[in-house]
Amino acid sequence: MAGGKVNNSPKILVFSTEKISDPAIDMAGLLKLHYPPTVYTIPVPCSSAIKPRWIMHALEQGFDGVFIAADGTDCPYGESCTTKTGEIVRETMEQLKEKGMDPARLKMAAICSVCSEPFVKHVKSFAEYLGKEKEVNAVE
Amino acid sequence: MKKKIGVYICHCGGNISDYVDVEKVRQAVENEGGVFLSKTTMFACADSNQKDMVSDIKEKQLDGVVVASCSPKLHLLTFRGVAERAGLNKYNYVHANIREQVSWAHSDNKTGATEKAIHIVKAAIAKVRNAESLEPVKVQSTKAVAVVGAGVAGMRAAIELAEAGAEVFLIEREFFVGGRVSQWDDLCITDETGKELITRLYDRVMQHKHVTLFTGAEIVENKGSVGNFEIKVKVTPRHFKLQCSGGELQKAIDVCPVEVPDEFNFNITKRKAIYHNYPSEYPQLPAIDMKTCTRCGKCEAVCNAVDFSQKTEYLNIKVGSILLATGFDPYEPPKGEFGYGEIDNVITLPQFKRVIHYNDKRLIWQGKEVKNIAYIYCVGSRQLNGDNKYCSRYCCTSTIHTAITAKNKYKGIHNFHFNRGIRTYGKAEVRYDESSRLGDVYLQSFEYDPPVVEARDGQTFVKIKDVLTANKELEVAADLVVLVTGMVPRKDNSIAGLLKVPKGRDKFFNEIHMKLRPVETVIDGVTIAGASQGPKNIMESMNSALSAATKSFSLIDSGELALEPTVAVVNKEACEWCGKCDEACPYSAFEKVEKDGKMIAKVIPSVCKGCGMCLPVCPSNALELIGLSDHDVESMIDVLIEKDTV
Ligand SMILES: Cc1cc2nc3c(=O)[nH]c(=O)nc-3n(C[C@H](O)[C@H](O)[C@H](O)COP(=O)(O)OP(=O)(O)OC[C@H]3O[C@@H](n4cnc5c(N)ncnc54)[C@H](O)[C@@H]3O)c2cc1C
Ligand code: SF4
Ligand code: SF4
């Protein structure tokens, strides 16, 4: 069987959005653009609906990273989305710093409804970063 | 907590099972808490399987259902329907996407794919375990629709709605209906003229007793939501009595001292403040433009149909749905773009169409006969450095069509098309072929190397490095340069703000999904049609008008509406009114109410769109979205992080 065990790749939780970024992630599959299978998504209506406590919960329970596939300027609920999502990220990063956790374990990028390739690029490079961090931490 | 959950895992032919070991997934989840039955199926969506599911739910009294298959965008509603047919409330159904986001995305890693599928199905089970039966939010609806804009799209939609049985209020901002199409003579791809088309539509609109047309009218206020919008319409008078004899009117026009650029002709001619409609515009009544009228009274003195006593009226109208068909503006090049506004024989395509209208035998511009015409394509479209990245779609076709018209109408015309790759899609390709046969010359460049317009020795030249002749530098001495300007959103699109309709990256009105829900906006009950949504030709505008009319009608037809109950809810104990949610909500869905001696926030379910923007801003964590509670999300996270089982 191709691939073999995957247990060691970092686990990433993606918050996608039902109308914009989740369709892009679907399309990545359709186009057979591969990314690590340890990337999981939970779709939400809008990226400005994500509570910092959900992100903290994921990271504290064992996810190596959380990626917010934000609506950006395409948000069907209006222009304020970009700033609001940005505010959520800022606030959560602060909480991470306070707890002595690496704020870079949270990442956000705007993923439009056809941004399948950018999505795959983002999660791959994020997984690479988290993988390296994991190794460093294992050695320490 | 559910105890009788049914889980169905789909092969999707082999689309899933070629990469995900579906039987392994089944075994891994069959002992999850609450799971009563677990099956694999060749095609979950097939009729036979749907029937099996219905009988399983009924016979085994299942209280929750999960199907792991393709994307929820395709079949969430299908399986909710199955639950409903079996007598189970449809919100006890949860969908798991193991095709687009598992088998296809990880076809390179079967072990990984199977492991991921197991986690995803378990998370869906965790979610369905907490699911509750919900009833849709029911609201009464008014069987009337406001159609905004009476161009081809608005009029076509109004006719369709009225014929279906709705009361229609057609609201046009100008004093005349017809929109842009009334400004064009010959149309592509039919042989009809703009006047013929508009006349046909206007006659049908006026014949229908269920359409009320307002001209000089605009929506200025909006309250309420789907099913019950309360709009206020401002109707500006045209200051004319209905009876009017032509002779006196002409006198009145002659004596009017105010002259303004005539926008109908894209400012190449002038008109008076008191003016008559063009033959292609309706109703055929004069009007006075009060924005420029000085109230000198000269017209009143010679024409007794003039009536300055008419007042602006405000009407309150109740409608169940609003259909926006406010159209587009042609792109206006800034001074200096390809010599526009600086070299006097550089004009735009809309202007050129009006010039052809006014020139019968010979084509004259600024007193000189025109023989060589240079068309520069994609002006204001497909911009490398501007906002307008999109293609305006109509313009290649319209330019070629207009160039052929000019060639057939006048003797000795030579057309030179400076293009960026011709996009005469569909049937219009025949026109491209025709123009090539007639001897039109096509020169092409890329967006980073556009042609250059230059005035030299009393002549205007257009120069290009033509990619079709190995980048040879070619130059044409042009008598007229026509800038093929694209479509941009209406300059005054404040109606979008009033109705809270979002705009896309291109600044046109935005649909929910280009393919799946192409005429709906996130504002329930507000649909969009025609060029207000993005560049469209007439046929495309009509098509979208018909679908928007159908969508609007479906909302109001039964007199009652069922809205998705997945809205925000406030925890009454935790909330200490601070107003942060009210600020964050883009739809004003919050009310401040008194409850047990304190002020708290309350969500109006028919206004809440379920976007969730209020959730993270609440300092007391008093807000949850039904179907996306902290418990839902956190229990899914807990399952997704569990150790691998394969
Ligand atoms: C130069 C040129 C040539 C063209 N030639 C062709 C052709 O040959 N064949 C073809 O198929 N297509 C052609 N088109 C495209 C065609 O003009 C459009 O497809 C068509 O006009 C779109 O119709 P519409 O009803 O959506 O918008 P519009 O024609 O723009 O009508 C919109 C109406 O809404 C009104 N309105 C705007 N805002 C408000 C408001 N807030 N309240 C109330 N009313 C409002 C406007 O006054 C207007 O009457 C051409 C376009 C251009 C620019
Ligand atoms: S239709 Fe033709 S001229 Fe118009 S923007 Fe598209 S490519 Fe350019
Ligand atoms: S943000 Fe929270 S506490 Fe403040 S009013 Fe809204 S629900 Fe109440």
Side-chain angles (χ1 to χ4, degrees), chain A residues 9-43:
Chain A
S9 336
K11 277 202 165 194
I12 298 175
L13 179 65
V14 178
F15 282 108
S16 63
T17 65
E18 282 159 9
K19 285 169 186 144
I20 309 289
S21 63
D22 207 56
I25 302 173
D26 275 359
M27 200 163 72
L30 186 70
L31 301 172
K32 302 268 161 83
L33 301 173
H34 300 305
Y35 53 92
T38 45
V39 173
Y40 295 90
T41 52
I42 294 184

Side-chain angles (χ1 to χ4, degrees), chain A residues 5-7 11 22 26 29-30 34-35 37 39-41 45 48-49 51 53-54 57 62-63 74 76-77 84, chain B residues 71 73 97 100-101 104-107 109 116 119 502 522 584 587 612-613 616 621 623 630 634 638 640 644 646:
Chain A
K5 282 283 177 190
V6 291
N7 305 8
K11 277 202 165 194
D22 207 56
D26 275 359
L30 186 70
H34 300 305
Y35 53 92
V39 173
Y40 295 90
T41 52
S48 12
K51 290 189 185 177
R53 63 175 271 170
W54 302 342
H57 186 83
F63 270 100
D74 286 353
Y77 300 108
K84 282 177 181 155
Chain B
S71 163
K73 274 115 221 143
N97 180 352
E100 280 79 352
Q101 295 193 8
W104 284 350
H106 312 301
S107 53
N109 183 343
K116 180 171 176 181
H119 280 101
V522 287
Y587 308 102
M613 285 196 192
N621 195 31
L623 288 163
D630 291 348
E634 286 163 11
D638 293 344
L640 290 177
D644 291 356
V646 179

Side-chain angles (χ1 to χ4, degrees), chain B residues 149 152-153 172-173 180 184 188 326-327 394 490 531 536-538:
Chain B
V152 286
E172 168 58 51
R173 184 159 66 185
R180 297 285 170 205
W184 323 137
C188 196
T326 53
Y394 88 95
R490 288 260 169 201
K536 285 190 175 67
N537 64 24
I538 297 172

Side-chain angles (χ1 to χ4, degrees), chain B residues 383-445:
Chain B
Q383 287 178 330
L384 197 60
N385 297 317
D387 280 343
N388 310 344
K389 302 271 178 248
Y390 52 84
C391 162
S392 290
R393 298 176 65 89
Y394 88 95
C395 21
C396 278
T397 300
S398 175
T399 309
I400 291 173
H401 168 77
T402 310
I404 295 173
T405 307
K407 209 166 211 174
N408 291 337
K409 193 168 175 184
Y410 314 109
K411 276 206 202 77
I413 296 285
H414 302 288
N415 291 318
F416 300 91
H417 302 263
F418 293 83
N419 68 86
R420 300 236 303 250
I422 294 293
R423 295 181 170 178
T424 42
Y425 56 96
K427 289 185 186 170
E429 189 72 4
V430 178
R431 292 278 175 272
Y432 183 22
D433 187 51
E434 186 185 342
S435 108
S436 306
R437 279 172 207 280
L438 285 171
D440 279 16
V441 177
Y442 285 84
L443 308 112
Q444 192 174 325
S445 63

